[in-house]
Amino acid sequence: MRKYIIILISIVIITFGGIYMKHQHDKKEAETELFNKAKEEMATFIEKNYQDIDEINFSDSYKIDPMGGITVEGYLNSDKNKEFFGTYDKANDEIGISSVDAEEKPECQDKVCK
């Protein structure tokens, strides 16, 4: 009888461990998908609003705020002194707060070009 209890407890522990690992994997996968979407939106935002942009290099780090936004950062035109960062708002599907070390296009100085 004792042998069956030990086997049952082992099965329960292995099952919960597997469920936890699957949850962690799914969470990481969702974060990676969100990070890729944020990079795509930030690249589009920079290309539409700033001039003389030849290359956009993203950092591999990101931060997810409690409201679900994700902050991406990097540099422009292979010049690590020309930095940018922006927060992608998933709910509104747009870049919210941003700072880009580049010259804005004349038509985008007073408003954000979409």
Side-chain angles (χ1 to χ4, degrees):
M1 185 68 171
R2 184 175 172 174
K3 183 178 179 181
Y4 295 116
I5 292 174
I6 291 173
I7 291 173
L8 182 62
I9 290 173
S10 298
I11 290 172
V12 169
I13 289 172
I14 291 171
T15 302
F16 282 124
I19 291 170
Y20 177 76
M21 295 299 290
K22 174 73 170 133
H23 172 72
Q24 293 298 320
H25 178 270
D26 291 347
K27 181 179 172 185
K28 183 67 175 172
E29 196 171 279
E31 285 179 3
T32 302
E33 186 176 313
L34 179 62
F35 180 53
N36 290 335
K37 176 69 173 166
K39 288 193 302 187
E40 181 182 306
E41 290 295 321
M42 189 67 190
T44 302
F45 175 79
I46 290 172
E47 290 168 355
K48 288 185 178 183
N49 289 283
Y50 297 91
Q51 56 190 1
D52 300 325
I53 304 298
D54 298 322
E55 184 180 4
I56 300 172
N57 303 93
F58 289 96
S59 168
D60 289 332
S61 64
Y62 59 88
K63 296 177 187 104
I64 299 177
D65 66 32
M67 298 300 288
I70 184 168
T71 301
V72 293
E73 54 190 35
Y75 56 94
L76 304 169
N77 299 334
S78 298
D79 182 0
K80 292 190 177 189
N81 294 322
K82 292 195 163 270
E83 298 177 324
F84 69 86
F85 80 89
T87 301
Y88 172 67
D89 181 11
K90 185 173 115 177
N92 295 322
D93 194 31
E94 66 182 10
I95 298 296
I97 300 169
S98 66
S99 173
V100 181
D101 187 13
E103 190 175 336
E104 291 180 309
K105 291 180 179 177
E107 64 271 14
C108 300
Q109 289 180 349
D110 296 331
K111 62 179 176 68
V112 174
C113 294
K114 298 209 178 208

